[in-house]
Amino acid sequence: MPVWVTRLDTVRWLAWIVGLIAAEATSAQVRPVWVQEGNRNVAYFGSSVASAGDVNGDGYDDVVVCAPGFADDQPQEGRAYLFLGTRFGPEKLPSWTFESDQAFAPIRQAAGVGDVNGDGYDDVVVGNDAWSNDQYLEGRALLFLGSANGLLQSPAWTAEGNEQAAYFGIGAPAGDVNGDGFDDVVVSALLGDVNHVPQSEGAAFVYLGSPTGLSSSPIWSAFGNQRDCGFGTARSAGDVNGDGYDDLLVSASHFNGGMVGEGRVNLYLGSPCGPSPTADWIMEGNQRFAAFGSTLSGAGDVNGDGYDDVLIGAWGYDGPLVFGVEGAAYLYLGSANGLGPTPAWTATGTQADELFGCVAGAGDIDGDGYDDVLIGAPGFDERRREEGRACVYYGAASGPLLRRGWCLEGDQRQAELGRALDAAGDVDGDGFADVILGASLFDNGQRNEGRAWVFLGASRHRSK
């Protein structure tokens, strides 16, 4: 199988492989099938990595990567890249790129959002949250439709924050929150405010899919209702109660409840009218400065019971066994009654300032019928300071295994691998879920050019 590599340092790559095989000889896949770099100083390629779904309907899932520091005609305009999947993994060269064309308004994020118009091709939302138009730093989100030829060059839909310094625009898949067969999109405004009353509380907005694409106005919104609480980071939870409607997670990682900076996550259940107007499940960090909800993700169905589960990260968690803040990740299981009141599974970092808890559902990497999870720790130190690490935890009937599966380390000082990570879908069409990782501060000829990797899934009992 060919391995697509851009100026890969062979010695480092071999060292990673030896270390990964030593960590778990029966790992799903220890060899990256695809590696790409930013190839420009301070491009920060890999700051955002995600599955795009199958944008051209060829049966192979595709991936999107962002480089917010990219400069072409404008300084720090940023660029989003789409790489099409093939039977060998993602293509070597991007089939599509998009730049903001506004100085210091970087393209910060891109993600597949499913098929919003039901045409059989998956679509991608691009986040441009520092964009200025009628209001300074209002931000915007753009939707690009898939087609037989891949993503279209011009956005089919654009929404703006319409509020000064709202930083609107970071979009994510919402699933199908109203059960109408069209995928929907949630967009965050991390400094947005109710009625534009300045307190930087944060907000989240849902736009419904339809045969004509996304609605021009949001059908649902929620606000933090507390100054500077960081409300608005939002992701689909999947269908946690099995009622046929996808549900929505929204976090406020700076929320002050009984503890200062503990953080909070709300779950809004889907319905024929969309997400419920008030949260149906609320969980707080219950520790000072835990930052519960720093990251969050639908986890798929990790225990095979037919209900989707969720992952929540808390970068600021301070446990009793490590001197310093190590971070934690929590998994809550779905059920007919929704999410439970206590986590069914918890993993914590092992080092001070590790920032353990960058979480993502990975899909079923090893094909055993249980979805698996990814957890990153960008501050992890082993051979290099803050090289970062990302690990897979395999699902099972009792939930994720406590023992890590395979791990990748940055193997470079301050590479911060693991801050960006996601499911990649099935990029080579072999039936196993694949994963994508980013290290935006990676250097290889250019300072902070960044790098992204795709690893293929496979059975844990064989090597591909």
Side-chain angles (χ1 to χ4, degrees), residues 221-233:
S221 61
F223 294 83
N225 298 319
Q226 185 181 96
R227 181 180 295 275
D228 299 321
C229 69
F231 183 86
T233 298

Side-chain angles (χ1 to χ4, degrees), residues 95-145:
S95 67
W96 172 97
T97 61
F98 179 76
E99 299 162 15
S100 81
D101 293 329
Q102 186 178 96
F104 307 107
I107 299 297
R108 201 180 307 279
Q109 171 266 359
V113 291
D115 183 2
V116 303
N117 61 351
D119 64 355
Y121 303 102
D122 287 329
D123 311 312
V124 168
V125 67
V126 171
N128 192 190
D129 61 345
W131 171 264
S132 299
N133 192 16
D134 296 328
Q135 286 83 26
Y136 179 63
L137 299 178
E138 60 178 308
R140 64 174 179 170
L142 308 100
L143 182 85
F144 294 84
L145 295 177

Side-chain angles (χ1 to χ4, degrees), residues 10 18-19 43 51 68 80 112 123 148 212 233 235 244 267-269 321 352 357 410 426 442:
T10 304
V18 171
S51 172
D123 311 312
T212 57
T233 298
R235 299 288 184 274
L267 176 80
Y268 301 87
L269 293 176
L321 302 180
D426 183 3
F442 192 89

Side-chain angles (χ1 to χ4, degrees), residues 285-308:
N286 297 322
Q287 186 185 85
R288 283 170 55 88
F289 304 114
F292 184 77
S294 313
T295 63
L296 66 170
S297 176
D301 183 3
V302 300
N303 62 347
D305 65 353
Y307 300 99
D308 287 327

Side-chain angles (χ1 to χ4, degrees), residues 173-234:
D176 183 3
V177 296
N178 63 344
D180 65 354
F182 300 96
D183 287 317
D184 311 313
V185 174
V186 59
V187 182
S188 302
L190 293 180
L191 296 181
D193 295 303
V194 175
N195 299 322
H196 307 315
V197 176
Q199 62 174 2
S200 302
E201 58 187 304
F205 305 88
V206 168
Y207 297 83
L208 291 181
S210 74
T212 57
L214 289 183
S215 56
S216 58
S217 300
I219 59 95
W220 177 94
S221 61
F223 294 83
N225 298 319
Q226 185 181 96
R227 181 180 295 275
D228 299 321
C229 69
F231 183 86
T233 298

